Amino acid sequence: MTLKKAGGVQMADTDKHKKEPHQTDHSRRNFLKNSGMVAGGVVGGSLLGGLFMRERDEKHKTKPSGTKHETSFQEARIFFTREEDFKALEAATERIYPKDKNGPGAIELGVPFFIDKQLAGDWGINARDYRKGPFKAYDYNDPAQVKSDDAAEPHPRGGQGQGKESTDSIMRDQSLLNRREIFIEGVRTLNDASQKQHKTTYDQLEKDQQIDILKTFENGEVEMKSVPSQAFFSLLRQATIEGAYADPLYGGNKDMEGWKMKEFPGAYPSYLGKIDKDEFFKPQPVALKDSQQH
């Protein structure tokens, strides 16, 4: 046995393992081929990206048409542990964003699961909000306080609202509770109000009955222990709309149906290949996971 240097590394070579002249080292050839692709990609990223894009498109084209829809792992509760709480949330979001001739409603869009995931994360505990006092007590039934400059002035970016977009979004910041606690009390109060008025849970009511109860929350007619009912309703409405139009990555806007109703293109990476075309270009929505090639 002799020792030979190959590429700076000593390799043992015996007659038994010697390659015939006509044999090819496929692993070495593949390595050089792949290295060349990567090096070329550094210089011409668009070429390399095009290769990957074509590979991805081919996979989609060759996928059998009769395959079943993939299981959505987004549709699993993380925060809500009581099923009756989640069912009340589902029914309430559907009344706020109902299904109609324009497209699916909140339940089909996965909005309840979006809210569940947001409550399970930093948003649910107001992790990025200033949480120290003093907390000003507002009387929601006093128009002078609701419309006062004093109520609308603090913070350019509210903890649960954005600036001065509405008076109630400013009001709901004035609470020691985080969003998780507000939602839990809110959906349970929905069920309590439903039991008192109709002897059943909120999700079992007729649509008109559900709307009537939601209106009492919106108008501040329901007694809640920790926050005014307007605060819960406003937060619920905000989260419902966000779940209908957020990127599907966050658990809502299932199959980008919310974007399709609005004709919103989503996370389209570039229009470079479409700018100089004469015909009208109407893109299909693109989610973040599709615009970022991996």
Side-chain angles (χ1 to χ4, degrees):
M1 182 175 69
T2 60
L3 292 177
K4 297 180 180 180
K5 282 192 175 182
V9 180
Q10 287 190 334
M11 301 176 61
D13 188 14
T14 64
D15 293 339
K16 182 179 179 180
H17 297 290
K18 284 182 178 179
K19 291 183 173 64
E20 296 296 331
H22 64 275
Q23 289 182 320
T24 306
D25 189 342
H26 292 288
S27 61
R28 186 167 181 270
R29 173 176 290 182
N30 290 335
F31 171 77
L32 292 173
K33 179 181 177 182
N34 293 335
S35 299
M37 287 181 63
V38 173
V42 173
V43 178
S46 59
L47 173 61
L48 185 60
L51 291 173
F52 289 148
M53 284 289 288
R54 283 198 295 273
E55 181 180 354
R56 187 195 67 151
D57 292 341
E58 289 299 322
K59 287 180 180 179
H60 285 296
K61 288 179 182 178
T62 57
K63 186 177 181 180
S65 58
T67 54
K68 295 182 179 179
H69 191 276
E70 294 181 0
T71 302
S72 175
F73 295 100
Q74 298 278 23
E75 297 180 358
R77 299 197 308 268
I78 300 176
F79 172 70
F80 286 96
T81 57
R82 287 171 46 172
E83 187 174 2
E84 58 266 33
D85 293 343
F86 191 72
K87 285 184 175 180
L89 175 69
E90 285 184 316
T93 58
E94 186 68 17
R95 296 286 64 79
I96 293 173
Y97 197 101
K99 179 180 180 179
D100 58 18
K101 62 180 181 180
N102 296 312
I107 292 178
E108 288 185 46
L109 288 171
V111 169
F113 290 103
F114 165 85
I115 295 175
D116 176 81
K117 287 172 175 53
Q118 297 306 306
L119 292 174
D122 289 347
W123 187 80
I125 59 173
N126 298 63
R128 297 186 179 184
D129 299 344
Y130 182 79
R131 304 295 294 158
K132 303 294 183 181
F135 296 92
K136 184 171 182 177
Y138 291 104
D139 182 359
Y140 278 80
N141 297 316
D142 183 356
Q145 288 193 33
V146 172
K147 296 181 180 180
S148 68
D149 293 336
D150 201 21
E153 197 54 43
H155 59 69
R157 180 183 176 118
Q160 296 174 17
Q162 300 295 324
K164 301 180 182 180
E165 62 185 35
S166 65
T167 305
D168 62 312
S169 68
I170 299 297
M171 294 296 188
R172 61 188 169 176
D173 289 339
Q174 305 298 323
S175 173
L176 286 167
L177 299 186
N178 59 38
R179 296 183 184 98
R180 289 181 182 178
E181 295 164 329
I182 293 174
F183 262 94
I184 286 295
E185 183 181 355
V187 294
R188 290 178 182 176
T189 306
L190 274 175
N191 276 331
D192 290 343
S194 176
Q195 288 286 0
K196 288 179 181 178
Q197 296 181 37
H198 305 286
K199 308 300 181 184
T200 187
T201 55
Y202 183 78
D203 64 292
Q204 295 299 316
L205 298 179
E206 298 294 329
K207 292 180 181 180
D208 291 340
Q209 294 173 327
Q210 291 177 343
I211 291 173
D212 289 340
I213 289 181
L214 273 183
K215 284 182 177 179
T216 62
F217 276 76
E218 184 181 18
N219 296 330
E221 299 169 7
V222 180
E223 185 79 23
M224 289 182 63
K225 295 179 181 179
S226 304
V227 295
S229 60
Q230 298 103 314
F232 166 66
F233 177 82
S234 185
L235 187 59
L236 173 64
R237 181 179 179 275
Q238 172 198 343
T240 299
I241 295 174
E242 288 179 359
Y245 297 116
D247 191 279
L249 174 70
Y250 299 101
N253 190 16
K254 187 175 181 181
D255 297 327
M256 297 177 285
E257 290 295 333
W259 289 351
K260 291 175 184 177
M261 286 188 281
K262 289 285 189 180
E263 296 185 357
F264 177 66
Y268 220 82
S270 173
Y271 296 94
L272 187 61
K274 307 294 182 182
I275 292 176
D276 57 351
K277 292 186 178 295
D278 294 330
E279 65 272 16
F280 180 76
F281 172 59
K282 185 177 180 180
Q284 291 298 312
V286 176
L288 282 173
K289 72 179 183 66
D290 296 322
S291 65
Q292 301 173 2
Q293 301 304 318
H294 296 289

